[in-house]
Amino acid sequence: DTAVSQTPKYLVTQMGNDKSIKCEQNLGHDTMYWYKQDSKKFLKIMFSYNNKELIINETVPNRFSPKSPDKAHLNLHINSLELGDSAVYFCASSRNSGTGRDEQFFGPGTRLTVL
Amino acid sequence: AQTVTQSQPEMSVQEAETVTLSCTYDTSESDYYLFWYKQPPSRQMILVIRQEAYKQQNATENRFSVNFQKAAKSFSLKISDSQLGDAAMYFCAYLVNYGGSQGNLIFGKGTKLSVKP
């Protein structure tokens, strides 16, 4: 069984469109994350949610809106896509043992290409 | 703010040989976790090894081991008996702790490792 899954794995779209990436984890984890990996392979946190509550919101344009319908899902909606949004987006999840030290498990990534 | 630096954009090793990937970091915390992640061409992020800062003993996982120098803020990864399947991007990462709440990872820019047969 896949622990952290993302759909779709590839997404090609035109500038100006709105798109969503879905993430689901079946590990029973409380915390979920979105990371962005740019064309130079640099990985950076975008958001994290704990039990459906937004915990981390880095400096990300407000065209990006995460939605957590339940603690097993964290979706990423992007409005008015721009060329610079082209990247690989990774979802991850972890327990929240209260130590702040729990391992993060990553999904397979979604490669978004904006034309 | 914490930072992670990987100074080697690319490294190459002969199959069966040993290679060391460098990582330095900056933090004012005394207790923290460090990780090495592997990203093969499939782009899946795979945890290789973790180190807890309060543990003086260097972590080891089969052919992978770290040299953790807390005072120098250095966290290098040694791969012994390199195999073709070790070819990948390797990322050093620091886990931010928000006072017990689960924090995010801060990644270095990565080192691309090639393994020659």
Side-chain angles (χ1 to χ4, degrees):
Chain A
D1 278 346
T2 304
V4 183
S5 60
Q6 294 179 229
T7 52
K9 287 197 172 60
Y10 297 92
L11 184 53
V12 180
T13 188
Q14 299 288 329
M15 257 190 348
N17 284 350
D18 302 339
K19 290 293 178 185
S20 292
I21 305 172
K22 295 185 177 181
C23 178
E24 177 181 1
Q25 54 95 4
N26 62 7
L27 297 166
H29 288 166
D30 297 303
T31 307
M32 297 184 72
Y33 314 78
W34 279 109
Y35 289 88
K36 178 181 179 180
Q37 186 173 41
D38 64 22
S39 58
K40 296 184 178 178
K41 303 286 189 182
F42 185 55
L43 274 151
K44 190 173 180 183
I45 185 70
M46 298 175 70
F47 303 101
S48 83
Y49 270 72
N50 185 60
N51 278 324
K52 304 196 302 175
E53 181 184 349
L54 181 65
I55 301 297
I56 297 170
N57 183 355
E58 288 296 302
T59 309
V60 175
N62 56 16
R63 297 182 296 104
F64 290 78
S65 53
K67 293 281 193 302
S68 182
D70 56 62
K71 74 173 194 176
H73 296 84
L74 180 62
N75 304 324
L76 183 64
H77 188 74
I78 315 170
N79 289 328
S80 304
L81 278 156
E82 300 178 357
L83 293 176
D85 298 333
S86 295
V88 178
Y89 293 84
F90 284 96
C91 178
S93 74
S94 69
R95 291 191 313 146
N96 188 0
S97 64
T99 64
R101 302 301 189 199
D102 298 294
E103 178 185 342
Q104 295 181 21
F105 294 79
F106 283 80
T110 295
R111 179 178 294 280
L112 171 64
T113 303
V114 182
L115 304 175
Chain B
Q2 298 89 351
T3 58
V4 177
T5 302
Q6 292 178 251
S7 58
Q8 305 152 317
E10 295 188 26
M11 292 282 285
S12 181
V13 64
Q14 205 73 30
E15 200 176 2
E17 298 292 309
T18 296
V19 65
T20 299
L21 308 184
S22 301
C23 174
T24 58
Y25 59 94
D26 192 24
T27 183
S28 58
E29 301 290 324
S30 59
D31 185 23
Y32 45 87
Y33 274 36
L34 296 163
F35 301 83
W36 278 98
Y37 279 88
K38 170 184 177 181
Q39 186 179 41
S42 67
R43 77 168 182 252
Q44 178 70 49
M45 294 292 288
I46 301 165
L47 179 63
V48 174
I49 200 164
R50 68 158 73 186
Q51 176 76 44
E52 301 170 37
Y54 70 88
K55 288 189 176 178
Q56 296 195 2
Q57 186 173 7
N58 290 326
T60 299
E61 288 285 343
N62 300 314
R63 297 182 295 107
F64 298 87
S65 61
V66 299
N67 183 4
F68 174 51
Q69 302 288 328
K70 190 174 182 180
K73 295 181 181 174
S74 170
F75 181 59
S76 60
L77 175 70
K78 185 170 87 170
I79 307 174
S80 304
D81 184 26
S82 296
Q83 299 175 1
L84 295 177
D86 295 334
M89 284 288 289
Y90 286 82
F91 293 95
C92 178
Y94 176 102
L95 180 58
V96 177
N97 184 347
Y98 288 110
S101 295
Q102 192 60 18
N104 57 285
L105 291 164
I106 296 175
F107 289 91
K109 292 190 174 182
T111 296
K112 184 177 181 180
L113 178 66
S114 303
V115 181
K116 298 178 181 176

